Amino acid sequence: MTAPRQRKGSKGKDPGSNIQNLKPDCGFSWWTILCLMTGSIVGISLGLLCCIYVSTLHENDLWFSNIKEVEREISFRTECGLYYSYYKQMLKAPSIQQGLYELIHDNTTESKRTINILQRMNIYQEVFLSILYRILHIQTYLEPIYFYIYTVFALQTVYVIALFITSWLLSDSWLAGALSGVWYILNRVDTTRVEFTISLRENWSIPFFALQVAAITCYLRPQLKPIQQRVVLWLVFVSTFCFCLTWQFNQFVLLVQALIIFTLDCTSSHLFSCLSLIFYLLIPAVCMCGFQTGLKTGGFVIRVGKLALHTLLVLTLTFTINYSAKTILQLKSDEHIFKFIKAKFGFGATRDFDASLYLCEEAFGLLPLDTFERLAGTVLLYPYLCTLSVLFILLLLVALSNLREREDRTFSMRPDVAYNLLHTVFFGLLSFSTMRMKYLWTGHMCAFAAFGVCGKEVWSLYLRVLHCNTKTMMRLIRYSVPIVILAFLYYKFWPRLMEEISELREFYDPDTVELMEWIRLKTPKRAVFAGSMQLLAGIKLCTGRVLTNHPHYEDQALRERTRQVYQIYARQSAEEVHKVLSSVGADYIVLEDSICYERRHSRGCRLRDLLDLANGHIMDGPGENEPDLISASHPRFCEAIKTDMPPYSTLFTRVFKNKTFNVYKLKKLKKKNKAENSP
C-alpha cells in the first residue's frame, strides 16, 4: 500500500529504503556487520532462553525425570496421549517399514475398523521423529520420550527467532526483536501452553506459521532483488507446507491469511508486484485476477461499487468451489466445525451434540477480559493499542487515497507494514471470538507492538504533530524507549521468573496409575475399551489396548460412534447400552465419577445434560427445561449400574474399582438372548 517501487537511478529515497534484509540503521559496512552479528546473537539467545525456560517449567511441575514411565505417559493428557502413542508405536515396531504398515492399516485405534492413521491424522511429525531417533543411534544417551519433548521445546526457539526477525524487518532495529522475544516469554500464559500440552498440533505448527509470516514480511519489503524474492518465496512455501502437515485446522488459518492478502490487494493498486502469494493461499482470487484491470478505473463511487462486486464474486466463487468439492468427494470431516460456528453465532440448532461439546468448552468461548489485564501488566497492551490505532487509521486514509487515484498521495504505507497490520487485526478478531485461537494472535502481537516502539512509522506521526520530527530526535526515541522498557521489565519480572522456575511440584494421580497398571496386567492385549475420549487416549498410550473412540474428532463416523458410546452417561436402559457397546466390539467400559457427577460445568453444559438434550430428555437438577423435552423412562446408566441389580448385573460385571474409576466387563449374551434382542 505504497507508491510504486523506484527504478534504478532514482534520486528520491526513503530514510529506510537503503536498508535490505536485516540491516539496521548503521552508516558504515563494519558497523552494519556488527549490528547484524549482535542482533543475530541476541535473537538466537532469546530463542534458546525460551526453550530452556519452558523445559524447566515442565520438569519442575511434574518432576518428570524422577517419575515412572507410566506416570510420564499419563501426563500426556487427552489427545496429546493419542498423538504420542503413534510415536511410541513406531519405535516399538521391528522395522520402519513395519511401523508404517501398521499405521496405514491400523485396527487398534477404532475397534472393528481398519483406518489409515497417516491419512486421518496429522502425525507426520511423530513418524519423522521416530525414524530420526532410530537412525541417529542416540538410544544409549537419550530416552525416546525426552527426544520427543525436547524437539517440541526446541520449536519454541524457532518461534521466538521468527518473531524476532519479523519485528526486526518491520522496524529496522534488532532492539525490536529483543523486545518481542522478552514480551513473548513474559506473557507465556497467553502466548503458549507448550509446557503442559506438549503434543498438541498447534505447538508443532505455530512456529512454522510464525516463520511463514516472517518470510512474507521479508518478501514484501521494498527494493528486494529478484533472486532474493525467489528465495524468500520458497521459504514461504516450505514453512506453509510444514504448517499444513502439522495441524488439522490449517485450512481455516490459511483462509484468514488469504482474506488479508485479498483485502490489501483490493484496496491498493500498488501493493504487490506479483500476486503469486495469493496463488498459494486463495485460488478464487487468482481466478478473478483477470478482472483486476478494470477494477481500479473510473470515479470514486464506481471504484467502490466495482470493489464490492469483485469481493462478492470472489467470496461466492470460494464457497461454490468449497461446497462442490465436498459434495463430489463426499467430505464431511469438518462438518462439526461449521455446525459449531453456526451455533456460536445463533444460526444453528443448539441441541446438536457435536456443536454443544465445543460451545460448552471454555477454550471455544469468547476471549476472557482478564487476558488484557495480564497483557497490560507486562506493558505489552499499551504500545500495541497505540500502534494498532494509529496505523489502522493511516491504512484507511491510504485506501481512500488509492481509490480516489489522486496524483499527490499525502499518505502511504509500506506493504510489509500493511500486511502485518491486517494480520494482527484479523487474527485478533478471531481470538476475540474463540479463546483457543489466541495463540495465533498473541505471539504476533508481541512482534507488532515491538515494531511500534522501535519503528519509524508511528513515531514520525507523533513527532510531526509535536513539530520536532528530526533525525536526531527520531533516533533518540527509537533507541531510548525500548531500552527503558527492557530495563523496567527486567527489574519487575526477573525476580518473579527466578521464583517461578525454583518452585518444585510433583506429578500425582494414583487412581489413573492404578487403572493403567490393572489394564496392562489383568486384561488381554486385544481387549476393547469404551469410555470417554480423553481417558481412552491415555489407555492406548499406556497399555496399547484397542479403543472404541478417541479425541481426534475430525471424522463423521467417529463422531457418531462417540455419541453412541457416551450413552453410558445418559438415561438409557441396560439392554440398550449393552447393545450399543456390543455393536462396536467393546469388552470393557470405564466409567468416571468426575463425568457421571460432573460439577465443573454449569447446568446445560455438563456432558450428561448434552446427552439428555440430544435424546430429547429433561435435564437433571433445578432449572428450566424446554417444553418439548420429556422425562426419560430409565435411570442414568452410570448411576444405576452401581446398584448391581438386574438387568445390570445380568449384562455387566464390575472387575475394577477405585475412588475415580469403575470398570465393567460386558457379558456375552447367549444365542437365544441375541435372537430375542435382534430387530
Side-chain angles (χ1 to χ4, degrees):
M1 202 154 278
T2 181
R5 296 177 180 174
Q6 297 184 6
R7 300 174 183 175
K8 291 184 179 180
S10 177
K11 293 182 180 180
K13 286 188 177 181
D14 181 77
S17 63
N18 63 329
I19 301 165
Q20 292 186 10
N21 299 329
L22 294 177
K23 296 182 181 179
D25 295 332
C26 307
F28 303 97
S29 59
W30 63 269
W31 185 244
T32 300
I33 294 172
L34 179 62
C35 288
L36 285 171
M37 290 181 62
T38 304
S40 301
I41 292 171
V42 172
I44 294 172
S45 299
L46 279 172
L48 292 174
L49 177 63
C50 181
C51 171
I52 295 170
Y53 175 52
V54 294
S55 177
T56 303
L57 290 178
H58 176 261
E59 167 64 26
N60 291 354
D61 190 51
L62 300 173
W63 202 4
F64 200 74
S65 59
N66 197 59
I67 58 179
K68 297 186 293 184
E69 185 69 15
V70 64
E71 293 175 314
R72 290 177 178 177
E73 293 178 347
I74 292 172
S75 70
F76 287 86
R77 301 287 185 179
T78 64
E79 60 188 288
C80 296
L82 182 68
Y83 298 133
Y84 182 77
S85 71
Y86 298 117
Y87 170 75
K88 179 180 176 181
Q89 181 178 325
M90 278 290 295
L91 291 177
K92 282 190 171 184
S95 65
I96 294 174
Q97 294 80 0
Q98 180 63 27
L100 290 173
Y101 179 85
E102 291 175 357
L103 289 178
I104 295 172
H105 303 86
D106 181 271
N107 56 9
T108 61
T109 302
E110 296 177 18
S111 56
K112 288 191 172 184
R113 291 176 184 168
T114 299
I115 61 175
N116 186 341
I117 297 296
L118 292 178
Q119 185 181 45
R120 176 78 72 82
M121 305 181 193
N122 296 67
I123 61 157
Y124 297 102
Q125 51 267 51
E126 278 76 20
V127 173
F128 173 75
L129 275 193
S130 64
I131 295 174
L132 192 62
Y133 185 78
R134 283 175 179 266
I135 64 178
L136 288 179
H137 301 292
I138 56 175
Q139 291 82 355
T140 55
Y141 309 103
L142 192 65
E143 297 177 57
I145 196 167
Y146 276 106
F147 182 68
Y148 185 91
I149 64 174
Y150 286 164
T151 301
V152 180
F153 292 150
L155 284 175
Q156 289 295 297
T157 303
V158 176
Y159 194 1
V160 172
I161 291 175
L163 296 176
F164 190 99
I165 293 172
T166 300
S167 54
W168 190 354
L169 286 167
L170 289 170
S171 64
D172 289 325
S173 172
W174 61 261
L175 279 173
L179 194 55
S180 66
V182 170
W183 266 331
Y184 178 84
I185 294 171
L186 295 181
N187 290 281
R188 172 187 56 81
V189 174
D190 296 300
T191 55
T192 182
R193 48 180 176 168
V194 66
E195 74 274 13
F196 61 89
T197 58
I198 295 174
S199 302
L200 276 189
R201 305 296 84 180
E202 65 190 46
N203 294 327
W204 288 92
S205 62
I206 292 181
F208 293 112
F209 182 62
L211 197 61
Q212 181 227 49
V213 172
I216 292 176
T217 302
C218 184
Y219 177 80
L220 296 177
R221 284 176 63 82
Q223 295 189 348
L224 206 63
K225 297 178 181 178
I227 183 64
Q228 294 172 326
Q229 286 184 345
R230 286 194 289 270
V231 171
V232 173
L233 199 58
W234 268 105
L235 181 57
V236 173
F237 171 75
V238 172
S239 56
T240 305
F241 178 74
C242 293
F243 170 69
C244 292
L245 277 184
T246 51
W247 200 13
Q248 68 269 28
F249 294 138
N250 62 79
Q251 65 270 30
F252 301 106
V253 177
L254 293 182
L255 176 62
V256 175
Q257 269 194 309
L259 292 174
I260 293 169
I261 295 177
F262 175 69
T263 301
L264 290 175
D265 183 59
C266 285
T267 54
S268 173
S269 58
H270 307 291
L271 179 60
F272 294 114
S273 60
C274 174
L275 290 176
S276 52
L277 278 175
I278 298 182
F279 176 76
Y280 290 118
L281 301 175
L282 190 63
I283 294 176
V286 177
C287 296
M288 297 302 298
C289 279
F291 299 95
Q292 288 281 78
T293 306
L295 177 64
K296 297 163 185 175
T297 58
F300 177 74
V301 177
I302 295 176
R303 283 167 175 254
V304 172
K306 287 182 177 180
L307 181 61
L309 179 61
H310 181 73
T311 303
L312 180 62
L313 288 174
V314 170
L315 293 177
T316 302
L317 185 57
T318 300
F319 287 110
T320 301
I321 292 175
N322 184 8
Y323 179 78
S324 301
K326 288 182 178 180
T327 303
I328 294 172
L329 300 176
Q330 296 183 343
L331 299 177
K332 298 181 179 180
S333 59
D334 56 0
E335 188 181 54
H336 62 302
I337 299 296
F338 291 104
K339 284 183 180 179
F340 159 70
I341 294 173
K342 288 195 298 182
K344 186 178 181 70
F345 295 102
F347 297 111
T350 55
R351 289 187 189 176
D352 183 83
F353 180 73
D354 299 328
S356 298
L357 273 180
Y358 286 97
L359 287 171
C360 287
E361 284 299 322
E362 184 182 3
F364 292 93
L366 299 176
L367 188 68
L369 294 178
D370 60 355
T371 304
F372 301 102
E373 295 179 10
R374 292 190 296 269
L375 296 175
T378 59
V379 202
L380 169 61
L381 186 63
Y382 305 117
Y384 173 78
L385 291 178
C386 290
T387 306
L388 178 65
S389 56
V390 170
L391 291 182
F392 190 74
I393 293 172
L394 179 60
L395 180 66
L396 293 177
L397 294 174
V398 172
L400 288 173
S401 177
N402 287 331
L403 287 173
R404 291 180 183 276
E405 196 64 29
R406 295 175 59 180
E407 293 294 333
D408 54 329
R409 287 179 180 166
T410 309
F411 306 102
S412 65
M413 182 177 287
R414 285 164 31 202
D416 53 342
V417 174
Y419 171 78
N420 280 274
L421 171 61
L422 282 192
H423 181 98
T424 194
V425 169
F426 275 63
F427 282 99
L429 293 174
L430 182 63
S431 302
F432 272 93
S433 66
T434 308
M435 188 185 74
R436 184 175 178 179
M437 296 294 122
K438 74 175 180 179
Y439 301 105
L440 292 165
W441 174 55
T442 48
H444 184 266
M445 182 183 185
C446 298
F448 191 76
F451 151 65
V453 172
C454 302
K456 297 177 182 178
E457 279 72 11
V458 177
W459 287 121
S460 63
L461 292 172
Y462 287 147
L463 292 177
R464 283 179 188 175
V465 173
L466 299 174
H467 302 289
C468 56
N469 187 20
T470 63
K471 288 185 178 180
T472 303
M473 182 62 69
M474 176 69 74
R475 287 186 178 180
L476 178 64
I477 291 179
R478 287 182 63 212
Y479 297 131
S480 61
V481 172
I483 291 174
V484 169
I485 293 176
L486 286 170
F488 170 77
L489 294 176
Y490 175 82
Y491 173 78
K492 182 178 180 181
F493 290 100
W494 182 256
R496 296 186 188 181
L497 289 179
M498 293 299 100
E499 181 181 354
E500 186 179 21
I501 63 176
S502 63
E503 186 177 352
L504 302 178
R505 296 188 181 93
E506 183 178 358
F507 176 88
Y508 185 76
D509 191 355
D511 291 346
T512 306
V513 172
E514 184 185 11
L515 173 67
M516 298 303 175
E517 292 288 4
W518 179 84
I519 292 174
R520 186 176 62 84
L521 297 173
K522 301 295 184 180
T523 63
K525 291 185 177 181
R526 295 294 301 178
V528 180
F529 279 79
S532 69
M533 296 183 288
Q534 296 80 1
L535 180 63
L536 291 183
I539 289 176
K540 176 171 175 55
L541 171 58
C542 298
T543 69
R545 299 303 187 262
V546 183
L547 313 179
T548 57
N549 53 301
H550 53 81
H552 192 82
Y553 215 52
E554 315 309 316
D555 179 74
Q556 185 189 32
L558 176 67
R559 293 194 293 270
E560 178 58 29
R561 176 183 279 201
T562 299
R563 192 185 65 81
Q564 292 177 350
V565 171
Y566 274 11
Q567 297 303 312
I568 58 179
Y569 295 109
R571 289 189 176 98
Q572 297 287 0
S573 65
E575 295 81 3
E576 180 63 24
V577 172
H578 189 278
K579 179 182 177 182
V580 168
L581 295 176
S582 298
S583 67
V584 297
D587 298 310
Y588 298 87
I589 56 171
V590 184
L591 295 174
E592 302 169 64
D593 289 346
S594 59
I595 297 178
C596 191
Y597 307 105
E598 183 184 357
R599 294 180 180 178
R600 185 171 68 94
H601 291 103
S602 60
R603 185 177 185 269
C605 270
R606 299 169 297 188
L607 180 61
R608 62 179 187 267
D609 296 335
L610 302 183
L611 290 165
D612 288 342
L613 290 173
N615 295 335
H617 296 157
I618 294 174
M619 294 182 290
D620 285 341
E624 295 183 358
N625 290 281
E626 295 184 22
D628 60 326
L629 297 177
I630 61 173
S631 299
S633 56
H634 301 282
R636 194 165 303 281
F637 177 84
C638 61
E639 296 176 356
I641 194 174
K642 294 178 181 178
T643 62
D644 203 25
M645 299 288 289
Y648 301 98
S649 60
T650 307
L651 301 173
F652 303 93
T653 302
R654 185 160 61 190
V655 291
F656 175 85
K657 178 185 178 182
N658 63 20
K659 296 179 190 176
T660 307
F661 304 104
N662 289 272
V663 181
Y664 292 86
K665 184 176 181 180
L666 275 72
K667 293 183 179 180
K668 302 298 181 183
L669 293 177
K670 296 180 181 179
K671 291 184 178 180
K672 182 179 179 181
N673 290 342
K674 284 185 178 180
E676 291 175 355
N677 290 332
S678 61

